[in-house]
Amino acid sequence: MFFLSSLYVLLICVFFFFCINAQNNSSITLFKVGVVLDLDSLVGRIGMTSLSLALSDYYSVDRNYTAKLVLHVRDSNGQVINAALCATDYKAEEEEGHIIYCCKPMESCGGARGSLRWDTQSLSLLKDEEVDAIIGPQKSAQSTFVIGLADRANVPVISFSATSPSLHPQTHYFVQATIIDSIQVGAIVDVVKYFNWSQVVIINEESDYGNGINPYLSNALQDANARVSHRSLIPSAATDDFVLQELYKMKTMQTRVFVVHISSSLASKFFPKVKEAGMMSKGYVWIVTSGLMDLLYSLDSDVVESMEGVIGVKPLIPRSKRLGSTAKRWKKKFIHDNPNFLQAEFGLYGIWAYDALWALAIAAERVQFTEQISSLQNTSFLNSTDRFTTNISKKGPKLQEALLDVSFQGLGGKFHLVNGQLESSSFQILNVVGKGGREVGIWTRPDKILSEENVNITSSSRIELKSIVFPGDTTAVPKGWEVPVSGKKLRVGVPVVAGFKEFVRVEKDPQTNVSKVSGCYIDMFDAVMAELPYAVPYEYIPFGTLDDSGSVSYDELCFQVFLKKYDAAVGDFTATSKRSDYVDFTLPFVAGGITAVKLDDINHDKWFFLRPFERELWLTTIAFFIFTGLVIWILEHRLNNAYRGPPAQHTGMIFYFAFMSLAFAQRERIVSNLARFVVVVWMFVVLILTSTYTAYLSARVTLENLEPHVSHPNPGDKVGCRNGSFIIDFLQKSGYKNVTAYNSARDINEALVKGNISAFFSVKPYTDLFLSYYPNKYKETDKTSPSEGFAYVFEKGSPLVADVSRAVIKLTDNGRLLEIKQQWIKEVNNEQKNKDSFELAASLEDFKALYGISVGIVATCLLVFIATYLYTNRDFVQRISNSNTTFWSKARAIGKHFDQRDPKSFRSSKYREDGVDASPSTNENTRSSTVVPISTTDFNDANGDTSPNSEHTASPNLQTR
């Protein structure tokens, strides 16, 4: 009986359970989601496994859901038109959980999913099934067509694998739940900037996926001052011959840095051919994008081996326990669903697919409907015969709005959509070594490369990456630009000029009959080319005749560069507007300016009175003046009323005595014998200084009156210039009619001496060199005409111009170019030094002995005075030093004591020759007893005792007599 009662109660409970369950199920809103993937591809199978796992995980975590997703899967088979048909017709198979599998229209799907049973009923995702959202399609090319259909039906399309930035914004109803390719451009460009590679070749797949990144990458490289020297498009179905032909074409170029943006399927064919072409060797750099790096594991071992040394970027996925456990469950499920695809990982596409479905499920949960209505409304006004005509969804806009507001912590980090795209994250910088990628750094926004070992370094610092293995199994950083094996040497034209051969010299070896090029500007060019981040072989080719009477037209040599007879020209070329019409100039490596030399009257110097002494001697003399005045004040302060008074008077007396001694005009009586000795020494030093100054100043003024002053020549004068120089045209345009050209400095000097010309015009470097030949004979004019300096000449559009200019700036800043000039123009330096020594000026070295002896004597007198003072007042000083007060209190007490009048000065005051009564009843101390309270008070203060019955007494030296 009890058993029957219990069974009855159990049946009642089961009945109520099913009733409640049925009621809950009836209140759940179903959202039909179409899934369009290429289920025969690795990415499609990875995405399908992630979607099914995410669907199961979400509803196992949230059991109180009010909305439920039902997936309708469609296999696009990798074709664009099939992806579009996916959104219209399909053959459905058995419903498995929340997923309805389906295949292409009018095709059998047998065997595709094991034991699944296929239905023959034809349905439509947008027309008949009325899906509320679509996940996919997989590829960017497919997405463009499907987006248009979904946009007409107001159905959201969520893609986790279409990364082309050109897809967005195409419509309001398209969401890229993936990191788009344009974000990784910052990481790639920063790698290029980090290694100072100046030119790059872009290689991309000829498809929507490959072409989408091109404008972003090109613009970013341009902003980073890296030129895109070539773009190569590789078709998805390219043959081996086509790939090899394209690689050999790039091999003949100078650029050795390649950025590759291709799919994994094309990479399996491309990189083995790269190795076969010998381009995966030392000196080459290969950078691949994230799409290939994420699927690196799926490539064959021989393909990965051919990619040894490749650098790649990949979005950084933060590690977590949840990600680890989900990856293990995903692996088991993938192997179960795809027994023939054992080599798969829960990578970027799997994680993004998982998070995309969770985001869609959260958005569906937020969409509330108060009444059951049709999710699509009739669109009979549309062409019913159009196969792609669909109804308009009412759930779609609300679902899209809720989806854009979804934010949660997913497996790939924070899931947050910005303008319909997944928010960008950090990127790993990987190096392909062995069987996979090794992390060498992390790139984070804003555009900074951070190494894990240096994350605490500020952004303004130069942050080093970990050691990178480049192609050729080397850690040495490639220069990025090498001259190809089949390339020719750079032909550099050099003008053959007579005279001024320190700058450019062309000589012929009598034995080999080979021309040898040397000179200051040649060595500068060699240093600049060596500073380039890549090797450029070149050879010098003389232009002109080698006899002394020969002359070269610089305009003609520049025109030969324009005609491509030469690739460049090196020498004393001034950048002019006429020449820049057909050649390009680098930045000047020597300053310009047109000057003239001639004989004329003197040029006065307004600071001539300071020239007799060098600056060091002036500063030392002033310091000695102040030191001597201070010593005199110390020696006379306690004895002489003239050196007493308020602090301002003390300071004035220190400076007054020293400087008035220069004119022997001081009248203050000196009392102390030590002070008298110091004054005697000081007067001797002053006598020597004034005599020397007078002598040097007289010599300078006399010599300066004999030196010529140069004024600018008049347009009517006969003037000269160097043969072949642009200055001939400049002078003629400036109004000079009588212009004569000369080849050498000797000819110019002879013409100036004989009066054939009144002035010689030249650019600043040649003027300085000419004056060095005749340092005391000519001077520059008081007017300089502006002109560009000497620069290197290259043909129009040469990529070397920018890099050579940067090298010129660098060598100018570090002083290397100046060092080369000094090595060549040694005679200039020696003659200039002789010229400078002729300009009379006394130096500190000349007075070293005098100042040394004087300072020694004055310092000795000061030390004797200090020792005498301390000995005479030893009792007082000892009591002060033994007191318990601070150091500054002791110093202040001694200072006050030193500031008082020395009692011995009262006894000797009656013998003063000036007859002034200095008895105790006069002057600042009317009674000698006034000294006692001050000293006593200071002493008491020093001991902290102010009692009137203090046992301390004044020093015996201060007692009243």
Side-chain angles (χ1 to χ4, degrees), residues 18-325:
F18 279 106
C19 290
I20 294 173
N21 234 10
Q23 183 178 0
N24 288 339
N25 290 336
S26 63
S27 62
I28 294 175
T29 303
L30 296 180
F31 283 82
K32 299 177 182 181
V33 180
V35 178
V36 182
L37 295 174
D38 179 10
L39 298 180
D40 289 333
S41 67
L42 178 60
V43 174
R45 292 175 181 267
I46 291 174
M48 194 63 248
T49 301
S50 297
L51 291 175
S52 60
L53 182 62
L55 192 65
S56 175
D57 289 351
Y58 180 82
Y59 291 113
S60 64
V61 173
D62 185 9
R63 297 185 178 275
N64 297 322
Y65 56 86
T66 60
K68 186 176 182 181
L69 302 183
V70 178
L71 303 185
H72 295 263
V73 183
R74 177 66 166 87
D75 186 0
S76 64
N77 200 28
Q79 301 297 322
V80 176
I81 188 63
N82 287 343
L85 292 174
C86 236
T88 57
D89 297 330
Y90 71 96
K91 277 195 157 190
E93 208 176 280
E94 173 183 347
E95 182 176 341
E96 185 182 77
H98 309 298
I99 305 174
I100 300 176
Y101 291 97
C102 47
C103 63
K104 292 194 303 180
M106 307 304 295
E107 283 193 11
S108 172
C109 300
R113 289 165 186 78
S115 61
L116 293 178
R117 176 178 56 83
W118 293 99
D119 193 356
T120 58
Q121 184 180 7
S122 177
L123 300 174
S124 171
L125 288 177
L126 289 176
K127 283 185 176 181
D128 303 331
E129 200 60 40
E130 300 179 354
V131 294
D132 302 303
I134 295 177
I135 296 180
Q138 180 176 321
K139 298 181 179 179
S140 299
Q142 300 168 346
S143 300
T144 303
F145 200 22
V146 175
I147 289 170
L149 295 176
D151 189 31
R152 294 168 64 180
N154 289 353
V155 173
V157 176
I158 304 100
S159 177
F160 63 85
S161 58
T163 58
S164 176
S166 61
L167 296 175
H168 192 87
Q170 285 192 7
T171 173
H172 176 68
Y173 289 95
F174 179 59
V175 174
Q176 286 181 290
T178 176
I179 304 298
I180 60 175
D181 291 332
S182 60
I183 302 300
Q184 64 182 312
V185 164
I188 295 172
V189 172
D190 272 357
V191 171
V192 174
K193 289 172 56 179
Y194 180 80
F195 292 108
N196 295 321
W197 294 321
S198 58
Q199 296 204 14
V200 174
V201 171
I202 298 177
I203 304 173
N204 61 275
E205 184 175 333
E206 193 173 10
S207 63
D208 288 352
Y209 165 76
N211 296 330
I213 198 176
N214 259 340
Y216 301 92
L217 183 58
S218 300
N219 292 338
L221 288 171
Q222 183 178 359
D223 293 341
N225 294 324
R227 190 173 68 92
V228 179
S229 59
H230 180 69
R231 291 184 179 88
S232 178
L233 297 177
I234 309 295
S236 302
T239 63
D240 292 347
D241 292 340
F242 180 89
V243 174
L244 279 175
Q245 183 180 0
E246 193 67 19
L247 289 173
Y248 284 131
K249 183 193 301 183
M250 291 183 286
K251 189 176 182 180
T252 61
M253 301 176 184
Q254 293 181 330
T255 309
R256 291 292 180 263
V257 181
F258 304 91
V259 177
V260 183
H261 182 59
I262 58 178
S263 62
S264 59
S265 58
L266 182 57
S268 300
K269 182 186 305 181
F270 179 79
F271 280 102
K273 295 303 176 184
V274 171
K275 187 174 183 180
E276 180 181 340
M279 299 176 67
M280 195 61 70
S281 57
K282 187 176 181 180
Y284 286 87
V285 178
W286 295 89
I287 305 174
V288 299
T289 54
S290 62
L292 179 57
M293 284 304 300
D294 182 56
L295 298 176
L296 186 66
Y297 66 89
S298 66
L299 303 178
D300 294 338
S301 59
D302 58 337
V303 178
V304 178
E305 182 182 354
S306 67
M307 297 176 63
E308 184 83 12
V310 170
I311 302 173
V313 297
K314 179 181 176 182
L316 177 64
I317 301 298
R319 299 177 181 178
S320 62
K321 293 182 178 179
R322 181 190 172 199
L323 176 60
S325 62

Side-chain angles (χ1 to χ4, degrees), residues 613-620 842:
F613 286 175
E614 292 184 353
R615 182 178 62 179
E616 292 78 6
L617 181 57
W618 278 117
L619 296 177
T620 303

